[in-house]
Amino acid sequence: MKSAPATMNLRAPGKVNLMTTTLEKSAETFQYLQKTFAIHQVDEMTAALHEDGFALVPGVLSGSEVQALREATDRLQPFGFDRVSPLQEHYKCVFNRERIFFDQISRPGITDLAERTMGDQCHIIGETAWRSHPGYDGWTPHTDHVWITVPESNFEDPKFLLPITVCTAHYYLSDIPTEDHCPTYVIPGSHKSGRPMGGDPNPTWHGKSLEPVLVKAGDVLFFRSEIWHSGSKNASDSIRYLLQVHYANRFISQKFSPFPWQYNPEILAIADERQLRLLGKHPESSYG
Ligand SMILES: O=C(O)CCC(=O)C(=O)O
């Protein structure tokens, strides 16, 4: 593994630096390491998605919603493309299984942000529930998808905005007060590299390394698909619960499994028009 610059060597065991000292303290007095937004700040979050590649929104879910979503996750049974191993459980398309998961696809504020950034016909391409057990190591720096490669110099022009086409909303259902609790890591601004991340286990971009996103249960991290990011190790003694809602521009196909896909009629029966559109009901337009 390539060594990271001393001040950003957040994951190396046994090394003490300014950032780890801050993180140890934050176990007692929690503090966010990144800029945060209120749920109604859709304009500001849109600007952040272009500038930093992500927006962190504290307190989206209440404590009782977090608890109910954790209990629903505990009830999930694997089928189709679900992945279950002793350390990691990954359940796909959970909006089709229980109403409480379905309700999260159209969360006010977060859905407004999806529509503002990916168009008013944007839809979900998936919804994934995770249980990451103590000992799980999700350290795999990557980009989720880069549609077009562009020269980095394009971003020097403030008028150039790389279109936002796919985003994921992470609903954290566990407190993540330290690096030991399996945070998501990001390199702010790294979508401006204009290219996919190349498989480096310890990447840097313009001198910046991956930094942990420390959160409280109920917080949301909304990030675009080109941001360099990673999961990490769960070195705590509790399961990390996470719910992901994946949104995309209408021209990007939905990734629903298993095939042949069938919507749950009970979910369709309760969906309003916005939710039906998020599920894939669009007006007739070019091509179909
Ligand atoms: O586990 C995490 O926090 C990161 C998940 C992730 O990188 C992904 O789903 O693409």
Side-chain angles (χ1 to χ4, degrees), residues 66-135:
V66 166
Q67 185 55 31
L69 281 161
R70 286 168 65 112
E71 287 167 11
T73 305
D74 290 339
R75 287 192 289 273
L76 290 166
Q77 296 296 324
F79 68 98
F81 286 166
D82 293 344
R83 292 200 306 262
V84 172
S85 67
L87 292 183
Q88 170 73 336
E89 298 165 49
H90 210 231
Y91 301 94
K92 312 268 191 186
C93 294
V94 293
F95 59 87
N96 217 33
R97 306 198 202 184
E98 277 207 41
R99 181 171 188 164
I100 191 166
F101 293 122
F102 170 68
D103 286 343
Q104 309 317 316
I105 72 169
S106 55
R107 199 89 204 173
I110 300 299
T111 311
D112 299 321
L113 180 58
E115 290 167 354
R116 181 74 60 85
T117 52
M118 288 167 280
D120 59 11
Q121 284 297 319
C122 73
H123 53 207
I124 59 160
I125 58 170
E127 185 184 27
T128 312
W130 299 47
R131 290 181 2 134
S132 303
H133 294 259

Side-chain angles (χ1 to χ4, degrees), residues 130 142 144 170 172 182-184 223 229-232 240 242 244:
W130 299 47
H142 62 283
D144 284 337
H170 271 189
Y172 295 95
C182 200
T184 308
F223 58 97
H229 68 284
S230 183
S232 64
R240 181 193 73 158
L242 173 72
Q244 299 176 306

